[in-house]
Amino acid sequence: MESVASSSSPPNHHHPQRPRTRFKPTQPFADRIVRALHHDLRLLHRRESTFFILGATGNVYTVALCATLSCTCPDRTTPCKHILFVFLRVLGLPLDDTCLRRRTLRPCQVSRLLGLPTLPESLAGVSVRQRFHQLFFNQGSSASSSRTRPRDVEIEEGRSCPVCLEEMGREERVVACGTCRNPIHEECLMKWKRSSGRRSAYCVICRQGGGISIGRWNKTST
């Protein structure tokens, strides 16, 4: 007669699978999703990982889909409604996609997102996009070329730098204030800004910031 132990089935060591918990968004996150889906937002231009968004109030915001998500809108919450707009209405992600809830993306996620096509219904009108390209790209390129075009700073012989008090040599790199036109060694200006913790290029002499124009200009003597 067989024993009970021999006839019994082996014990089951596998634990039952737990039911997958469904993501429950917080109310602020749900509100941002609603705004991203229903506000009058349109895509103006897409360039690699950068998306130019026309906001509901007419402002243009720049969304960057990279390792760290970013948007130029005033909302410091990530993801903001403009990032969610790109996810949901430009790229067509479903509401349960995990990328919607992330502040940072893995390289594989970035590659997957950037490989998705743009949904045509997310685009702004043709005339609006053409106007944006005229204002943003054409003027931007012409302004950039004018800023990088070398100019001459007229410096009197024996003129000293207001920071290091050394005479400015003929082959040295100098910059000049766009307001008072006083020249200064480029390296001295950078050191002065770093030591003073100044992010803006304020003039050492006249202290003007709004109208200052500082560039890499060659020295000439008069």
Side-chain angles (χ1 to χ4, degrees), residues 105-126:
L105 298 174
R106 294 191 294 269
C108 60
Q109 292 174 318
V110 174
S111 178
R112 175 175 69 90
L113 292 174
L114 297 183
L116 295 174
T118 299
L119 297 182
E121 54 267 27
S122 67
L123 294 172
V126 176

Side-chain angles (χ1 to χ4, degrees), residues 134-169:
Q134 291 173 357
L135 294 175
F136 188 85
F137 292 106
N138 294 344
Q139 289 188 4
S141 59
S142 60
S144 176
S145 61
S146 64
R147 284 195 301 266
T148 56
R149 188 180 301 117
R151 295 178 57 186
D152 289 336
V153 177
E154 295 184 356
I155 304 176
E156 300 176 357
E157 289 292 340
R159 185 69 178 267
S160 299
C161 172
V163 175
C164 68
L165 304 180
E166 296 289 337
E167 184 177 343
M168 297 183 185

Side-chain angles (χ1 to χ4, degrees), residues 85-114:
F85 163 77
V86 172
F87 283 156
L88 297 171
R89 293 169 58 185
V90 177
L91 303 179
L93 295 184
L95 287 172
D96 59 352
D97 194 294
T98 57
C99 290
L100 270 65
R101 311 191 297 268
R102 299 183 63 90
R103 296 183 179 181
T104 59
L105 298 174
R106 294 191 294 269
C108 60
Q109 292 174 318
V110 174
S111 178
R112 175 175 69 90
L113 292 174
L114 297 183

Side-chain angles (χ1 to χ4, degrees), residues 5 12 28 48 56 95 99 104 128 130 153 167 184 190 201 216:
N12 185 8
E48 298 179 352
L95 287 172
C99 290
T104 59
V128 176
Q130 288 177 347
V153 177
E167 184 177 343
I184 179 177
M190 295 299 104
R216 296 172 177 267

Side-chain angles (χ1 to χ4, degrees), residues 2-198:
E2 295 182 357
S3 63
V4 176
S6 61
S7 61
S8 61
S9 59
N12 185 8
H13 296 288
H14 296 286
H15 297 285
Q17 292 184 353
R18 295 181 179 179
R20 187 176 180 181
T21 57
R22 188 175 181 180
F23 171 69
K24 295 181 179 179
T26 62
Q27 190 59 45
F29 182 75
D31 292 340
R32 292 198 302 275
I33 289 181
V34 171
R35 291 196 295 269
L37 290 173
H38 298 289
H39 279 194
D40 188 15
L41 306 175
R42 290 292 182 266
L43 177 66
L44 291 169
H45 182 70
R46 175 179 178 178
R47 182 175 59 189
E48 298 179 352
S49 62
T50 305
F51 298 76
F52 297 89
I53 310 301
L54 178 62
T57 58
N59 295 322
V60 177
Y61 304 108
T62 305
V63 170
L65 296 189
C66 48
T68 302
L69 297 170
S70 66
C71 178
T72 57
C73 73
D75 187 0
R76 297 298 90 190
T77 306
T78 304
C80 65
K81 73 172 182 180
H82 303 102
I83 296 176
L84 293 173
F85 163 77
V86 172
F87 283 156
L88 297 171
R89 293 169 58 185
V90 177
L91 303 179
L93 295 184
L95 287 172
D96 59 352
D97 194 294
T98 57
C99 290
L100 270 65
R101 311 191 297 268
R102 299 183 63 90
R103 296 183 179 181
T104 59
L105 298 174
R106 294 191 294 269
C108 60
Q109 292 174 318
V110 174
S111 178
R112 175 175 69 90
L113 292 174
L114 297 183
L116 295 174
T118 299
L119 297 182
E121 54 267 27
S122 67
L123 294 172
V126 176
S127 59
V128 176
R129 283 183 283 140
Q130 288 177 347
R131 183 61 175 165
F132 169 75
H133 281 80
Q134 291 173 357
L135 294 175
F136 188 85
F137 292 106
N138 294 344
Q139 289 188 4
S141 59
S142 60
S144 176
S145 61
S146 64
R147 284 195 301 266
T148 56
R149 188 180 301 117
R151 295 178 57 186
D152 289 336
V153 177
E154 295 184 356
I155 304 176
E156 300 176 357
E157 289 292 340
R159 185 69 178 267
S160 299
C161 172
V163 175
C164 68
L165 304 180
E166 296 289 337
E167 184 177 343
M168 297 183 185
R170 180 175 295 274
E171 301 300 327
E172 292 179 301
R173 304 290 293 182
V174 298
V175 294
C177 172
T179 302
C180 67
R181 303 297 300 167
N182 281 296
I184 179 177
H185 284 135
E186 181 183 31
E187 183 178 358
C188 292
L189 176 66
M190 295 299 104
K191 290 181 179 179
W192 176 76
K193 286 175 60 180
R194 287 193 295 267
S195 64
S196 303
R198 292 173 172 84

